[in-house]
Amino acid sequence: PGTYMQARVFTRETPVWTVQETAIVRQGDAAYVFVQTETGFKKVPVTTGLAEDGYVELLEMADLENRKIVLKGAYYLNGLGEEE
């Protein structure tokens, strides 16, 4: 009695792709990330899954593999408008 315990229970052992929440830009029901291009940045739609501890699961990575994703400042880029 009087003892406090904090625990996490992991129920899935399958690796998933995640990015920091700061990388996700939401507009209505849609989610986007910015990827680096040769001339600037491009906003790419993504499908998100679970979110926990500041990270968001990305469900479809085919268009993003081997691309540089903006992890911080995505909202600033979104306010500047899309370049490419």
Side-chain angles (χ1 to χ4, degrees):
T3 303
Y4 174 77
M5 181 176 85
Q6 182 178 1
R8 291 183 186 194
V9 177
F10 297 97
T11 59
R12 181 169 66 170
E13 294 183 17
T14 306
V16 296
W17 292 99
T18 63
V19 293
Q20 297 168 344
E21 286 180 341
T22 56
I24 304 290
V25 174
R26 297 196 184 273
Q27 294 178 322
D29 292 336
Y32 302 89
V33 295
F34 281 91
V35 295
Q36 187 176 19
T37 65
E38 291 181 16
T39 59
F41 300 95
K42 179 181 178 184
K43 186 167 40 172
V44 177
V46 293
T47 304
T48 58
L50 299 174
E52 186 176 330
D53 290 335
Y55 289 90
V56 178
E57 177 183 13
L58 297 179
L59 298 177
E60 299 172 13
M61 286 293 297
D63 294 338
L64 300 175
E65 283 194 53
N66 301 317
R67 305 213 38 206
K68 292 183 180 181
I69 299 172
V70 174
L71 298 179
K72 292 184 181 179
Y75 273 100
Y76 295 114
L77 287 175
N78 194 48
L80 294 175
E82 195 173 326
E83 295 181 20
E84 188 185 40

